[in-house]
Amino acid sequence: MHKYLKAIGYGNISTRKKLNTFLKEMEEHYSSHELISVETESDFCEYQKECGAGIGVALCGDMDMEENFFRQYYYPYFIGSGISSYADISVEKRMDREAYVGICEDVKVGISLIFHLQNVLEYMKENQLSDGSMKFGSVTLSGLCNSGTVLFPVLKTKELEKRSREESRNRMMLLSAARNGDQTAMESLTLDDIDIYSKVSKRLVTEDVFSIVDTYFMPYGVECDRYSILGEILELHTIENEETREELYVMKLDVNELQFDVCVPVKEVLGEPAVGRRFKANMWLQGRINF
């Protein structure tokens, strides 16, 4: 059973029997249906069932010449808004099924972001038309969270914010230069990291870690597309799962200067979210490539 069904309001699906009934109904009552030819005798098929504004479940599998559907896998999805990054993107196919992951090399985050690709059929069609030499424009990232915690913001003066932005810009330039093989940039980054480690170690004696670390974005667990995040809430509204009537928070976050939306059940959030406060959670990262 998919761990993040709960994140879009399907926490009531708790047994394999309920799940099979739900997926069987999807094949008959769906919001959209697409297929693409991958072999001479079968097509790759995707059913989508929308259950609210930008949320739903996708069911993927093969359809033979007699229109018999054979389920491969399913996943809950949440479609984000805006553009998250214009950085270089590459796509890799999973070994075990007709599913893809995207890899975004955004220097703002400091790590390669790996996300589950939502618009698989669109990618496959573009790949067939371009004969494997397609170009990606941008990516819209989004995250599913089963629970989360709201933290107060770190107190900053305008002068401190300005200095922080300048330091962040300088670090991005150094990271970009280091990736291109600049030895001086590598040495400068190493010295900066040692200096930061020394300062943080001294402050941790008398301060809490979340009063020092403003935001973070780091891998979580053994799955490559799961992350632990802490980010500032820029926008906030609620949506409803039209089938289960469960309320969900949709928050636009700023995490290490990367902006994207996350979806989380209202009842699973500890604290009162508001614009300016911070949100901490473990997240499954998804994304749509904009061609």
Side-chain angles (χ1 to χ4, degrees):
M1 198 172 305
H2 204 290
K3 186 174 180 177
Y4 286 93
L5 275 174
K6 180 182 174 183
I8 61 166
Y10 282 117
N12 60 327
I13 301 175
S14 54
T15 63
R16 182 66 62 183
K17 186 178 178 182
K18 285 182 180 178
L19 177 65
N20 286 330
T21 304
F22 174 75
L23 295 177
K24 205 70 185 169
E25 285 175 0
M26 259 191 76
E27 293 177 34
E28 298 168 11
H29 308 286
Y30 48 83
S31 306
S32 62
H33 172 222
E34 279 188 282
L35 51 85
I36 183 171
S37 179
V38 288
E39 294 177 11
T40 51
E41 294 186 1
S42 70
D43 296 328
F44 180 70
C45 176
E46 182 182 74
Y47 293 100
Q48 284 193 354
K49 182 178 182 179
E50 194 174 298
C51 57
I55 58 170
V57 179
L59 177 61
C60 302
D62 301 309
M63 188 170 281
D64 64 15
M65 295 176 76
E66 285 77 40
E67 296 194 358
N68 298 311
F69 179 72
F70 302 95
R71 186 197 312 159
Q72 272 193 39
Y73 66 95
Y74 73 96
Y75 66 93
Y77 67 83
F78 164 57
I79 299 170
S81 61
I83 303 294
S84 300
S85 178
Y86 290 97
D88 293 337
I89 304 158
S90 57
V91 177
E92 295 289 337
K93 184 181 179 296
R94 288 190 180 272
M95 291 184 293
D96 56 340
R97 59 185 186 267
E98 200 69 45
Y100 294 81
V101 293
I103 303 151
C104 180
E105 303 284 349
D106 199 311
V107 292
K108 293 196 291 285
V109 185
I111 57 172
S112 297
L113 289 177
I114 300 172
F115 59 90
H116 178 85
L117 186 63
Q118 292 174 334
N119 51 337
V120 173
L121 270 85
E122 188 181 358
Y123 166 77
M124 290 170 76
K125 286 174 183 175
E126 290 285 339
N127 196 31
Q128 286 181 0
L129 290 169
S130 63
D131 200 24
S133 60
M134 75 177 95
K135 291 183 179 179
F136 308 123
S138 59
V139 64
T140 301
L141 298 172
S142 58
L144 287 176
C145 310
N146 283 334
S147 60
T149 307
V150 178
L151 304 177
F152 284 121
V154 173
L155 184 63
K156 288 181 183 178
T157 61
K158 286 185 178 178
E159 188 182 331
L160 194 63
E161 284 184 1
K162 185 181 177 183
R163 195 194 315 159
S164 179
R165 281 196 296 269
E166 284 176 2
E167 285 175 359
S168 179
R169 263 198 303 271
N170 291 338
R171 186 172 175 81
M172 279 195 291
M173 288 170 70
L174 284 170
L175 281 166
S176 184
R179 286 189 176 186
N180 292 327
D182 190 324
Q183 195 66 37
T184 309
M186 291 180 196
E187 290 171 5
S188 181
L189 283 167
T190 305
L191 290 171
D192 283 349
D193 286 344
I194 294 167
D195 190 36
I196 289 166
Y197 179 78
S198 175
K199 286 177 181 176
V200 169
S201 298
K202 287 176 184 176
R203 288 182 63 182
L204 278 172
V205 178
T206 55
E207 294 179 57
D208 182 80
V209 66
F210 293 118
S211 66
I212 302 168
V213 179
D214 195 12
T215 69
Y216 64 74
F217 204 126
M218 58 186 185
Y220 172 77
V222 295
E223 298 280 350
C224 61
D225 47 11
R226 288 183 69 196
Y227 295 91
S228 179
I229 59 161
L230 172 65
E232 183 186 346
I233 302 170
L234 302 177
E235 295 174 21
L236 170 71
H237 67 275
T238 57
I239 59 173
E240 186 182 71
N241 183 313
E242 293 165 3
E243 196 170 315
T244 62
R245 297 298 172 192
E246 187 171 338
E247 274 200 305
L248 309 164
Y249 281 128
V250 172
M251 308 179 200
K252 182 174 281 294
L253 302 180
D254 185 318
V255 185
N256 286 23
E257 296 186 20
L258 190 77
Q259 294 184 12
F260 58 91
D261 297 337
V262 297
C263 180
V264 59
V266 169
K267 65 182 182 182
E268 298 296 335
V269 174
L270 181 63
E272 188 68 34
V275 173
R277 294 178 182 178
R278 293 180 295 166
F279 182 69
K280 174 178 171 289
N282 298 324
M283 169 190 77
W284 181 40
L285 188 64
Q286 301 183 342
R288 292 181 71 84
I289 292 175
N290 306 306
F291 296 98

